Amino acid sequence: MLKGRESLVRLVGKRRRFLPNRLAILESTLNLCSDDHCNPLPVEKNLDPYDDRDIESSSSRKYVTCPVCSCRVNGEDSTINSHLDECLSRGTKRKLTQSTLLQLNFYSRSKDQPQSHVLKSEKKESSVGPGDGLMPSTVHKLPKDASCIENDEIICESLVECAMRPQKDCLFDALNHCERTNGASEICCSPKNKTSGMLVARDDLSGLILQTFIVGRKFSDEKELNLGERISLERDPTNVKDPNAIKVISADSECCKMLGYLPRELTKFLSPLIEKYCLSFKREKMFLDSHIFQGLVTTAPRSSVDVVPIEVMCDNNKLFHENNFDDEEFKSLWTSIQKAIDSTKNFTPNALKYQKNFSVLIQEVLQSYSHLLSGDEKHFLDVFSSLSDDSQRLFIRLYLRKGPWFRMSCTSYKEVLDPKRAAEELSGYLCCFDTTEADNTDMIQILNILTVSELREVMRMLKKNCNSSMRKDDLVASLLSAYEDGSCPLLPDLILGIAGICARISSKAELLIWRAERLFFLNGEQDLSAFLLVDMGVVKYPTYSCIVSDQIFLDRNDLLAYEEAMEVAQLIDQALDEKDDKMILRCVSVADSHVQPNQCTTSESVPFFSCFSASWIYSKVVSLGVSFLERENRAKKERVFLSRYNDAVLLLKRLLNCYTRDGRRGYWTLRLSIDLEHLGYPSESLLVAEHGLLDPWVRAGSRMGLQRRILRLGKPPRRWKIPSFAESINRKITEVRIQGRPLNRETGMKSRFYGESGEQCSVEQLALEYYSGEGGGWQGVHSESGIWLTIFGLLLWDVIFSDVPNVFRTKFQTAPLDFGTDSFYILRQNSIESQLQKIQDGMGEEILITSWESHKGTSCNGVNWDRHSLAELRAAVTCIGGPCMASLCRHLAQDYRSWSSGMPDLLLWRFNSEYSGEAKLVEVKGPKDRLSEQQRAWMLLLMDCGFITEVCKITPC
């Protein structure tokens, strides 16, 4: 993988389907885009397949379908008339099944023409607000003789006939079909008792059973619940989060242990009935096995945090103050209770958490980042929050799916009770497939949502060769080819005849939700699934305080520039996957054009916010472009490709000139020195290396690499004086050689050997066997950097999550925002040094144990709870000793980014007594392997810190 590619993938995260600035990016000036002969490459002005902006704003991009020859024609009046004259002059007759001009709506529909359909047209959607949706007139109604088969698939008996039917809105038919096949089932209840949906009369409430759930189990006093356990209800008006809260109390416990709460959706209607009308659940009316109780657990939970199904019984024998009784209000509240219970017939409250989580995300962004959103965008998000539950759930479900297109006839969810009405409300948030505007990308995606049998049916209707051995990809390619060459212009209509309405998330909605996720999580690796992992108990985030005093983005322009830079990063990421060298060079050139000296888009008082600037993203793209250009030279040795090294040198010089305070300067300086030597400029290469050592941002392995280059290139007559660092970096590192029986000798493959027991093992495992035996009776682990980062995180846990302004912005962080930057040590220097002093004084093991027991299982950057046991960590800390441990932790605190990789493979220890021992760090190298500059820098640093280090080389016997 190219250097910097992995971090770019993490930065981009989930790729966006819609890039609003794609066209503008591709039209930018291209300096590096050249072919193998260094000729400029033409700019491809392909429209983004998901760009829903006003493409029809330019007449040159208006296209309609000719009713005579079915060709796509420019939408200008003069072009249309000329084309029609030409077609009619050829004597081409209209087929009997071919629609007329009026039926095909040959001319574009007026934008002011009112429509009463559910979903709006694919194009021109970004300017339409919620509720203003339109339904394209090119979608055909499903034929009456369509037959339903398994999986809600609909096949038209005559595809061509279906495609030629008059254009009508068929969304309601599709949604009605979903409604019929996915109706909610009734709640199972005892036939001897009355359920909540049976009545609303106040005189007949006694003995009425409510079937609901216990939620909020993480707040309960009793973790285990058994089937049939007795319960009672109690109001909790002092609850800070919900004044309508109702607690569920254990009736079997003498101390009335709290088991959880009733769902909030139910209590907001049930609490007023209890308080105003004295509705009671406390009379002992329910009987089971001759025991009297108020309610019972109907299903035992599988875990201590699962929701628990229960039944409770109403009692109205001492109900109501007759003078104050409002029958209409009572009926309204009771109807709402029925709806709340009905909404959970087929699913538990946990199944709806995704809706609450989505709402939390949107409201947090509206509250904290409102200055970055336009009035229209804030209105768009506010309107979504006011939509019905069904509409919100349908939208979120579709947004979380891969898509982009969905067959509405096959899209249904048990928690969406009224899909038809939900779709009606989502105009502006969903848009449907428009056959008149379909491009190749749309066609590929629409074809892929059909099943293989449906694709074969289309092939047969088009009288194309189709055998049973053809795979789905082959069928899609064949149909797409027929559409592209014009032999089947009505293919989109045929597809919709089978698939029915196809919809996707509108570009405006997708853009805003992507922006909301990015602002909420501040990275590309997390999305709405982070909420789910917390709800399921899979991930637990640490506790810390969010103290916000500065804004990450100063204004909306900074945010938009950041998003545009993210688009360039995504484009180059996709191009690397597709091996599209031309697009890669375009992206690098665009990024290079945006790199300017001393560019700052964030508050100077918060330097670690720089990673949220457009300039920083462009620098990552350019740095990745350097790696790409260097790889091109290594892969293709022709002389013409020396120009790629020239381009790499130019990019590296620009990066070094523009980013004067950046931790990547060491890597850039080292690569510049190497590339200059490749181009035949050893003196310039040496000069770059010498200047690099004067740069305080050149550290760790990069500094070691430059020093070694100076010693190699700086020999007489170029340099006569021996550098002062020569003796230090030429220190001899102890080497141990052991022999092993190799399993493979292939170049480029990781070496495998036979261990002492005859089983296959790696070189590291072979070395562990040696050191545990004749090597000195050492115990140890193969961990590389893992065990050190775990120890560092545990020893400095309280420092890492201490109260520092601006470093914690969301409850889903595993480290502060300045972790890995120079600011981390600077802002906490006193607390870090105080903790390191305790470690140096021998309190490391005590701190480790306390931190492990207090935070076990909580996510923290670098800490791996599963890979190493507490016993191993304690042994390592004890045997390493306080001074060495404190020195190593200090280096990680000061420059975590530079020193968090390249550590020795093995950490070995052995005890001399119960409370003391010694440790050794070993780097293992197989045949034809050698130390990297970063590994050499680590070995020398560890020697300076007082560690015992050595290199173990495995040689085949």
Side-chain angles (χ1 to χ4, degrees):
M1 182 177 287
L2 292 177
K3 176 72 173 180
R5 175 73 192 284
E6 185 177 351
S7 63
L8 185 81
V9 171
R10 292 197 302 269
L11 174 68
V12 172
K14 179 182 178 181
R15 291 176 180 171
R16 300 162 62 187
R17 293 189 285 256
F18 165 63
L19 300 179
N21 300 298
R22 176 187 174 96
L23 183 60
I25 291 171
L26 297 183
E27 288 178 338
S28 301
T29 303
L30 309 174
N31 299 321
L32 295 178
C33 295
S34 57
D35 57 20
D36 294 351
H37 302 289
C38 302
N39 298 319
L41 296 172
V43 178
E44 297 177 4
K45 298 185 179 180
N46 294 333
L47 296 179
D48 189 285
Y50 296 103
D51 191 349
D52 300 327
R53 294 173 297 174
D54 190 5
I55 297 179
E56 297 182 358
S57 59
S58 171
S59 61
S60 62
R61 289 197 289 264
K62 289 182 180 178
Y63 288 91
V64 292
T65 303
C66 174
V68 180
C69 65
S70 300
C71 293
R72 302 285 287 170
V73 185
N74 192 300
E76 293 181 339
D77 291 348
S78 58
T79 306
I80 292 173
N81 293 332
S82 300
H83 180 84
L84 278 175
D85 291 341
E86 182 180 353
C87 285
L88 295 174
S89 64
R90 292 198 300 265
T92 305
K93 295 182 179 180
R94 184 173 65 86
K95 298 177 182 179
L96 292 178
T97 57
Q98 188 170 341
S99 302
T100 64
L101 289 174
L102 292 177
Q103 288 173 321
L104 282 177
N105 192 14
F106 190 75
Y107 290 98
S108 301
R109 182 186 302 274
S110 170
K111 292 182 174 60
D112 298 327
Q113 183 174 345
Q115 307 238 353
S116 59
H117 301 292
V118 177
L119 296 179
K120 64 189 181 62
S121 176
E122 178 72 5
K123 307 301 175 183
K124 189 59 181 176
E125 63 164 299
S126 60
S127 61
V128 182
D132 298 329
L134 302 176
M135 186 72 178
S137 60
T138 54
V139 181
H140 305 284
K141 189 173 182 179
L142 294 176
K144 295 181 179 179
D145 53 0
S147 56
C148 296
I149 59 174
E150 293 183 5
N151 302 323
D152 294 336
E153 297 166 2
I154 301 177
I155 297 182
C156 299
E157 295 182 1
S158 175
L159 296 179
V160 177
E161 180 181 356
C162 172
M164 291 306 166
R165 288 177 183 265
Q167 302 164 16
K168 294 182 181 179
D169 179 15
C170 67
L171 179 64
F172 292 104
D173 295 337
L175 294 178
N176 283 330
H177 174 73
C178 292
E179 236 179 350
R180 291 192 302 270
T181 57
N182 295 280
S185 59
E186 294 295 325
I187 295 179
C188 296
C189 59
S190 174
K192 297 181 180 180
N193 296 312
K194 296 168 287 186
T195 60
S196 61
M198 297 172 61
L199 51 89
V200 294
R202 63 182 176 119
D203 296 331
D204 197 17
L205 285 178
S206 183
L208 184 69
I209 294 176
L210 296 181
Q211 295 176 320
T212 181
F213 302 89
I214 305 177
V215 298
R217 292 277 293 137
K218 61 183 178 181
F219 303 109
S220 68
D221 301 324
E222 185 71 34
K223 298 302 180 183
E224 294 186 5
L225 287 177
N226 300 317
L227 179 65
E229 187 162 341
R230 297 181 296 174
I231 59 173
S232 61
L233 305 182
E234 180 180 313
R235 279 282 288 115
D236 186 14
T238 61
N239 190 295
V240 177
K241 293 185 177 181
D242 182 14
N244 292 319
I246 299 177
K247 295 189 293 186
V248 181
I249 307 298
S250 174
D252 290 331
S253 174
E254 294 181 359
C255 56
C256 297
K257 291 184 178 180
M258 201 270 286
L259 305 179
Y261 296 88
L262 292 186
R264 182 175 298 185
E265 295 81 1
L266 175 62
T267 59
K268 65 181 179 181
F269 305 113
L270 188 58
S271 292
L273 283 182
I274 294 176
E275 293 183 348
K276 189 171 182 179
Y277 299 106
C278 300
L279 183 64
S280 173
F281 295 90
K282 297 182 180 179
R283 286 183 60 87
E284 299 170 345
K285 287 288 186 181
M286 298 185 69
F287 295 86
L288 184 65
D289 297 334
S290 301
H291 294 287
I292 301 175
F293 62 99
Q294 300 83 9
L296 61 91
V297 173
T298 58
T299 303
R302 288 179 295 179
S303 71
S304 61
V305 295
D306 283 351
V307 298
V308 183
I310 60 172
E311 288 183 353
V312 292
M313 181 178 287
C314 300
D315 172 34
N316 69 339
N317 287 351
K318 53 179 182 180
L319 265 186
F320 315 124
H321 301 289
E322 294 294 340
N323 294 334
N324 299 325
F325 186 81
D326 186 339
D327 193 61
E328 291 300 322
E329 181 185 25
F330 173 80
K331 288 183 178 181
S332 175
L333 288 172
W334 191 257
T335 300
S336 298
I337 290 175
Q338 293 174 357
K339 291 181 179 179
I341 293 178
D342 288 343
S343 67
T344 58
K345 283 182 178 180
N346 291 337
F347 47 91
T348 64
N350 275 346
L352 299 179
K353 281 192 174 181
Y354 70 88
Q355 182 187 1
K356 298 179 182 178
N357 296 337
F358 190 86
S359 178
V360 168
L361 185 147
I362 296 299
Q363 294 305 318
E364 176 65 23
V365 170
L366 286 173
Q367 179 179 351
S368 302
Y369 299 97
S370 60
H371 68 290
L372 302 176
L373 304 175
S374 67
D376 179 59
E377 291 169 346
K378 286 185 280 190
H379 174 70
F380 195 87
L381 295 177
D382 279 331
V383 170
F384 180 84
S385 301
S386 65
L387 295 177
S388 67
D389 288 339
D390 279 354
S391 297
Q392 292 186 32
R393 293 166 190 170
L394 178 61
F395 175 84
I396 299 169
R397 282 285 198 172
L398 296 181
Y399 179 78
L400 294 176
R401 287 176 58 181
K402 182 178 179 181
W405 293 102
F406 308 100
R407 298 173 67 165
M408 298 305 293
S409 61
C410 302
T411 302
S412 61
Y413 301 97
K414 56 186 178 182
E415 68 267 31
V416 181
L417 304 180
D418 190 349
K420 176 180 176 180
R421 183 175 179 182
E424 290 176 353
E425 293 186 19
L426 284 175
S427 59
Y429 299 90
L430 296 181
C431 55
C432 64
F433 180 67
D434 187 349
T435 58
T436 63
E437 298 291 347
D439 57 21
N440 288 346
T441 303
D442 287 333
M443 289 302 302
I444 293 174
Q445 294 165 347
I446 289 293
L447 285 168
N448 274 295
I449 68 176
L450 297 180
T451 64
V452 174
S453 60
E454 291 170 337
L455 289 170
R456 287 174 179 163
E457 180 67 16
V458 175
M459 294 283 286
R460 284 192 291 268
M461 299 295 3
L462 296 175
K463 298 181 179 180
K464 292 185 174 294
N465 294 330
C466 176
N467 54 63
S468 58
S469 63
M470 291 184 70
R471 298 177 302 177
K472 184 172 184 177
D473 290 343
D474 299 328
L475 294 169
V476 170
S478 177
L479 290 172
L480 183 64
S481 176
Y483 177 71
E484 290 176 342
D485 62 22
S487 62
C488 185
L490 295 177
L491 180 61
D493 301 283
L494 302 182
I495 295 173
L496 287 189
I498 291 180
I501 288 294
C502 296
R504 70 168 178 84
I505 303 297
S506 70
S507 60
K508 182 175 183 178
E510 184 174 352
L511 172 62
L512 286 180
I513 302 305
W514 177 88
R515 179 179 294 167
E517 284 184 312
R518 191 53 81 138
L519 289 173
F520 185 86
F521 293 107
L522 296 176
N523 62 69
E525 298 180 85
Q526 291 177 302
D527 53 23
L528 286 166
S529 62
F531 286 97
L532 177 62
L533 295 176
V534 173
D535 293 337
M536 295 174 61
V538 176
V539 177
K540 179 182 178 182
Y541 288 94
T543 303
Y544 46 77
S545 300
C546 295
I547 306 173
V548 178
S549 60
D550 293 271
Q551 292 292 343
I552 293 179
F553 299 99
L554 299 182
D555 53 38
R556 179 175 171 83
N557 290 334
D558 284 349
L559 174 63
L560 296 180
Y562 173 80
E563 291 181 352
E564 184 174 343
M566 287 296 302
E567 292 184 36
V568 178
Q570 177 173 325
L571 286 173
I572 193 172
D573 184 34
Q574 291 173 330
L576 286 168
D577 281 346
E578 298 166 1
K579 296 180 172 56
D580 187 348
D581 293 355
K582 295 179 181 179
M583 179 60 76
I584 294 171
L585 293 176
R586 284 197 181 89
C587 294
V588 175
S589 183
V590 169
D592 178 51
S593 67
H594 285 83
V595 171
Q596 302 295 333
N598 302 320
Q599 189 173 11
C600 181
T601 59
T602 57
S603 174
E604 294 183 359
S605 62
V606 191
F608 52 86
F609 282 175
S610 62
C611 62
F612 299 103
S613 67
S615 178
W616 186 81
I617 297 177
Y618 286 129
S619 70
K620 290 187 71 69
V621 174
V622 173
S623 186
L624 182 61
V626 170
S627 299
F628 172 77
L629 294 170
E630 291 174 339
R631 187 186 67 177
E632 285 288 287
N633 280 287
R634 292 192 294 269
K636 302 177 181 180
K637 298 296 185 180
E638 294 87 346
R639 182 175 180 81
V640 69
F641 278 92
L642 289 177
S643 64
R644 294 295 189 233
Y645 271 134
N646 284 323
D647 288 337
V649 167
L650 292 174
L651 293 177
L652 288 167
K653 288 182 177 180
R654 182 183 292 274
L655 290 171
L656 289 168
N657 289 333
C658 295
Y659 300 91
T660 57
R661 297 173 60 83
D662 196 293
R664 296 166 293 175
R665 288 182 61 82
Y667 170 74
W668 295 337
T669 304
L670 180 60
R671 294 313 310 175
L672 178 58
S673 178
I674 293 172
D675 289 348
L676 286 171
E677 185 180 8
H678 284 316
L679 290 171
Y681 302 110
S683 297
E684 290 79 355
S685 175
L686 176 59
L687 192 62
V688 167
E690 290 174 336
H691 287 169
L693 293 186
L694 302 177
D695 190 339
W697 293 91
V698 177
R699 305 165 181 170
S702 298
R703 190 172 190 84
M704 175 66 66
L706 292 176
Q707 289 175 334
R708 287 166 60 81
R709 289 188 65 78
I710 291 173
L711 292 180
R712 182 172 60 83
L713 296 174
K715 296 177 180 179
R718 293 196 187 96
R719 300 289 186 273
W720 294 93
K721 184 179 179 180
I722 298 177
S724 58
F725 54 78
E727 182 178 353
S728 175
I729 68 169
N730 285 330
R731 281 178 292 172
K732 184 176 180 61
I733 301 175
T734 304
E735 290 187 3
V736 174
R737 294 182 179 270
I738 62 177
Q739 290 186 332
R741 187 158 58 97
L743 174 65
N744 63 322
R745 298 175 182 265
E746 298 181 21
T747 304
M749 294 186 62
K750 184 174 177 61
S751 299
R752 300 285 297 176
F753 288 82
Y754 290 102
E756 293 181 357
S757 61
E759 296 181 356
Q760 300 178 18
C761 65
S762 63
V763 291
E764 292 84 6
Q765 291 170 320
L766 188 64
L768 282 174
E769 290 181 358
Y770 165 78
Y771 283 107
S772 64
E774 59 181 289
W778 296 88
Q779 301 178 51
V781 292
H782 169 219
S783 65
E784 299 181 3
S785 303
I787 193 169
W788 297 106
L789 301 185
T790 297
I791 292 174
F792 173 79
L794 292 175
L795 293 180
L796 274 76
W797 187 286
D798 293 338
V799 175
I800 293 172
F801 298 104
S802 59
D803 295 342
V804 177
N806 298 311
V807 298
F808 294 108
R809 315 283 293 210
T810 170
K811 291 298 183 181
F812 293 88
Q813 292 180 223
T814 58
L817 292 179
D818 63 346
F819 196 66
T821 70
D822 288 6
S823 298
F824 178 78
Y825 180 81
I826 295 172
L827 295 176
R828 305 167 181 81
Q829 184 171 358
N830 293 336
S831 57
I832 289 175
E833 290 299 332
S834 174
Q835 191 78 343
L836 294 180
Q837 186 61 48
K838 295 179 183 178
I839 296 172
Q840 185 170 339
D841 294 341
M843 297 178 62
E845 184 180 3
E846 180 182 345
I847 296 173
L848 181 79
I849 295 173
T850 302
S851 184
W852 177 281
E853 293 177 347
S854 302
H855 308 294
K856 190 178 188 313
T858 303
S859 297
C860 175
N861 197 348
V863 176
N864 190 324
W865 297 100
D866 300 323
R867 187 170 182 181
H868 305 289
S869 65
L870 178 59
E872 291 176 339
L873 299 176
R874 289 179 61 185
V877 171
T878 300
C879 293
I880 289 172
C884 289
M885 194 75 251
S887 179
L888 187 143
C889 288
R890 180 175 289 106
H891 279 85
L892 287 173
Q894 290 175 338
D895 193 2
Y896 190 90
R897 184 177 184 274
S898 297
W899 293 111
S900 58
S901 62
M903 297 182 183
D905 295 312
L906 308 182
L907 170 60
L908 308 175
W909 64 82
R910 59 186 178 190
F911 285 93
N912 299 327
S913 64
E914 187 176 355
Y915 300 105
S916 64
E918 57 182 333
K920 178 187 290 188
L921 288 90
V922 181
E923 181 65 41
V924 183
K925 291 299 175 185
K928 301 179 182 181
D929 199 1
R930 62 178 183 176
L931 291 174
S932 68
E933 302 296 358
Q934 180 72 7
Q935 290 170 341
R936 185 177 295 275
W938 253 116
M939 298 296 282
L940 296 180
L941 174 66
L942 291 170
M943 291 168 63
D944 292 337
C945 293
F947 284 88
I948 303 173
T949 62
E950 63 185 34
V951 176
C952 178
K953 292 190 174 180
I954 312 294
T955 58
C957 57

